[in-house]
Amino acid sequence: MHHFHYKDDRLYAEDVDLTALAESVGAPVYIYSEATLRRHMQVFSKAFAGDDALVAYSVKANSNIAVLKLLADEGAGADVVSGGEIKRALRAGIAPEKIVFSGVGKTNEEIALALDVGIYQFNVESEPELDLIAGIAQEKGKTAPVAFRVNPDVAGGGHEKISTGRAEDKFGVPMAQARALYGAAQKIPNIRVTGVAVHIGSQIAELEPFESAFTKVAELIADLRTGGCAIERLDLGGGLGIPYGEGLTPPHPDAYAEMIRRVTAPLGVRLIFEPGRMIAGNAGVLVSRVLYVKAGAEKRFLVLDAAMNDLIRPALYDSWHDIWPVMRRDGAATVEYDVVGPVCETGDRFAKARQLPEMRPGDFVAFMSAGAYGAVQASQYNTRALVPEALVSGSRWAVIRKRPSFDEMVAAEEVPDWLD
Ligand code: LLP
């Protein structure tokens, strides 16, 4: 459920008219609904209300500090994958004891930062990473809380590029090596083994792959305990999909919770979750202006002012985003368009042969479900300014990341003296 709706044929986010907002900030612009973000966090937390659980929002999905701050206010911790994300989480007021550090390539500096601030847990993905963390912890006279992310060899995920739990993927340690690794880690003085972590992919629309992976992990925990290893926590990652309007109906968090309870209750572990898309995805839209309606030799193109650098998901994962007119016209004919951006690549296409109400230059359109992995994956390709972000809350709204000026865009670039 989200708070984007039509009032008198004008698209609103909560009580804010998106035409007025987009006119004021300029297009393209990402617009988030605070009520939707809060609601998604509440629904997910409520599903596990009776359990000992930490919901560590996956910062990578939408890392704007205002977004993190309001989720922190709802009790969210943070799942981070870089030193930068640790700093964002802290700046948003998320306590270090609620920060879980994931990722396959943590650097010395990032590990040192995480130890200095005292994060809740490192999700370790290899033996060399364990050794590095142990060494840095020893130098600092600290103890690192560690879970191993295991690779259960289960396929799941809405696209080949976001499936992470198969044996061929770079993520996690193979189940077959896990027991030996836990045995070794237990003997390292500056390491405290806390638990097991797993994450099999993103935009997963069925419970089966989760259940299959979690069952394997539950068996591993029982096995590790038999071998004398105390496992207190189980991090089940993120991955729960959302409806993008393409016909999929992913499970409700309550059904997900019911399955998890069935699989994990006998273990008596503290659960950790890392939802990203499920919290932010349907809480944001990208509003763009129609520049031209172009008649090609074979098709009609809707040329927008947004491009693949602003929302890369369709180009990268062939993903579907519903496209809604920001203002509806009575009796508008339905027309088939290829919806494209101005970047000089054929892949700069948001939708192929999409049926939309007839559009005119100057109209705004909204890409729905763009709150997760939208703005965070934007770039300045083609020297296009990073797309700004606005947050709506009831009848209020504010810009939460402004559009940079040309000077700001090139501020970090320097011409060496020999070229002067
Ligand atoms: N935890 C870990 C270790 C992850 O790698 C991810 C996502 C999450 C949690 C959050 O997963 P979620 O709940 O959002 O599915 N850019 C892609 C998605 C990449 C997901 C990467 N990992 C997209 O736009 O679809």
Side-chain angles (χ1 to χ4, degrees), residues 43-220:
V43 167
F44 197 91
S45 306
K46 204 166 133 254
F48 296 97
D51 306 281
D52 181 14
L54 168 67
V55 182
Y57 166 68
S58 195
V59 170
K60 65 167 80 70
N62 184 324
S63 58
N64 188 290
I65 290 168
V67 169
L68 298 183
K69 195 154 175 46
L70 71 91
L71 292 175
D73 186 45
E74 293 293 337
D79 159 49
V80 301
V81 288
S82 68
E85 286 192 351
I86 294 177
K87 290 179 187 167
R88 277 183 183 274
L90 294 175
R91 187 164 293 184
I94 296 175
E97 312 82 69
K98 286 185 172 182
I99 297 179
V100 175
F101 192 2
S102 305
V104 74
K106 303 176 188 74
T107 65
N108 292 37
E109 295 74 22
E110 289 171 330
I111 292 166
L113 171 68
L115 285 167
D116 286 341
V117 305
I119 64 159
Y120 187 56
Q121 180 168 295
F122 290 87
N123 287 351
V124 174
E125 301 223 13
S126 65
E127 193 167 8
E129 183 193 333
L130 177 73
D131 294 342
L132 182 61
I133 294 173
I136 299 173
Q138 191 184 7
E139 274 166 32
K140 291 185 174 289
K142 303 211 172 192
T143 302
V146 157
F148 285 101
R149 172 172 175 181
V150 294
N151 183 319
D153 193 16
V154 169
H159 189 273
E160 147 74 17
K161 289 184 180 145
I162 54 174
S163 190
T164 57
R166 302 160 300 183
E168 72 204 67
D169 298 321
K170 69 179 174 181
F171 299 99
V173 298
M175 292 289 247
Q177 294 172 19
R179 205 213 262 238
L181 268 177
Y182 275 93
Q186 267 187 303
K187 299 200 187 87
I188 305 177
N190 296 82
I191 295 290
R192 184 168 87 81
V193 174
T194 56
V196 181
V198 66
H199 171 82
I200 56 169
S202 197
Q203 184 54 11
I204 301 172
E206 319 86 37
L207 287 178
E208 287 73 29
F210 288 119
E211 180 157 2
S212 155
F214 299 168
T215 304
K216 287 188 180 184
V217 173
E219 284 163 13
L220 174 70

